[in-house]
Structures are given as structure tokens and as C-alpha cells.
Amino acid sequence: MALGKDYAAQSCSLARTLELVGERWTLLIVRDAFYGVRRYNDFLMHLAMPRAVLSTRLRTLTDAGVLEAVRYQDAPPRDEYVLTAKGSQLWPAVYALAMWGEQHYGAEGGRRRDFRHAECATRLDQAGRCPACDVNVPPQDVEMRPGPGAGSVPQDPVSRALMTPHKLLEPLPQPLSQPLPG
């Protein structure tokens, strides 16, 4: 029996949400957008996914208002993909899934990524709160650093750029990669 493409028969907000972000590539694109990845070729290089899948997922996220395509070059035309306010509201879910993954599938050396409140440098708790300031920290106030389980220096330029401490939602320094033909 083939799986359906949507959950139209279910009256459930979670089902509607999963129709948009429940596919693994889509959630990884959203994760990378929080990390500062914005350009098509950088998503492509970092995620090593098929071009057609990336194009479709970016279009779906843009059409749904999770990402906004912002032109950064006219000739040839090239866009960056930036999280909208609606997309930024996915941070608690992305963070919770990342923390769950670290707890159950983490590296032996500890967390792969360390998320801290940029204002006071305190590491966020499992719920994304700053224990020192007693506040929920929005993504624009989170600094991401490599954690003790980050491992060796990665090969691709996006992964290397993510090894440098920086605030979420801030674009990674450019150029990371040369535009790929096509």
C-alpha cells in the first residue's frame, strides 16, 4: 500500500505542519538557514542533495512563507534564501530535535554544536532557555559554536565556516563556494 502525499483526512495541526517540514531534506534546509546558509550552491554543497530536490524544497518553503528569496545578483540572477518571521518560529522545534539527537545519537566527545545566549555566553539548557538570565532565547540572540564532539576540520567550505562561532540567522561569510554551472 503506497503512502499518501498528504494528511488531508486528518484534522490536525501537526499533520499540516509535517506536510510542509516533515521531509528530512526540508528540515535540514531550515536548520541550515538558521545556521546562516543562504545561497543555493552552499545548501547544495553542505547537504549533498540532488539539485531537483533542493530546488523543489526551496520553492515549497518560499511559497509557504518560511523562506524569502532575496536577489543578491542580477546577472546572472541569483537569490539568497532567508528565514522569514514565520520560519524563525520553527527554532524551538529545530533546537528540540537537535538536543534530542545529541542525547540519543550524539558524538562520544559531547555535543557537536554548542548553543549559547549571545548576551551572557551561557550555554542554553535542553529547552532553549538561558539559565543565567532565566529567559527563552530567540534565535537571533543565540551564538553557535563547535562543541567538544564536533570532530576534525570538515572538508566542505560550508562545514568549515560553521566551525567559527557566530550568531544564528547571520549569513555565513561569502564567498564559500564558486557558483556551480546550471
Side-chain angles (χ1 to χ4, degrees), residues 117 120-125 129-135 137:
H117 187 194
C120 69
T122 300
R123 190 167 75 178
L124 303 184
D125 67 14
R129 291 182 60 79
C130 174
C133 300
D134 194 31
V135 296
V137 183

Side-chain angles (χ1 to χ4, degrees), residues 31 35 91-103 115 126:
R31 176 208 60 190
Y35 291 177
W91 174 243
V94 171
Y95 182 78
L97 286 168
M99 292 302 98
W100 186 86
E102 288 289 0
Q103 180 179 354
F115 298 95
Q126 286 292 110

Side-chain angles (χ1 to χ4, degrees), residues 31-106:
R31 176 208 60 190
D32 276 10
F34 277 110
Y35 291 177
V37 178
R38 291 187 171 185
R39 296 186 177 183
Y40 180 91
N41 286 326
D42 295 337
F43 284 113
L44 190 65
M45 183 179 358
H46 190 236
L47 298 173
M49 63 193 294
R51 286 175 181 268
V53 173
L54 177 58
S55 295
T56 300
R57 299 304 183 270
L58 288 171
R59 188 175 324 105
T60 298
L61 289 167
T62 303
D63 290 347
V66 172
L67 294 176
E68 178 183 8
V70 178
R71 182 69 34 103
Y72 72 89
Q73 178 180 307
D74 288 322
R78 298 200 190 279
D79 295 328
E80 291 186 325
Y81 296 90
V82 181
L83 283 164
T84 62
K86 180 179 179 180
S88 291
Q89 291 175 345
L90 286 167
W91 174 243
V94 171
Y95 182 78
L97 286 168
M99 292 302 98
W100 186 86
E102 288 289 0
Q103 180 179 354
H104 296 286
Y105 302 104

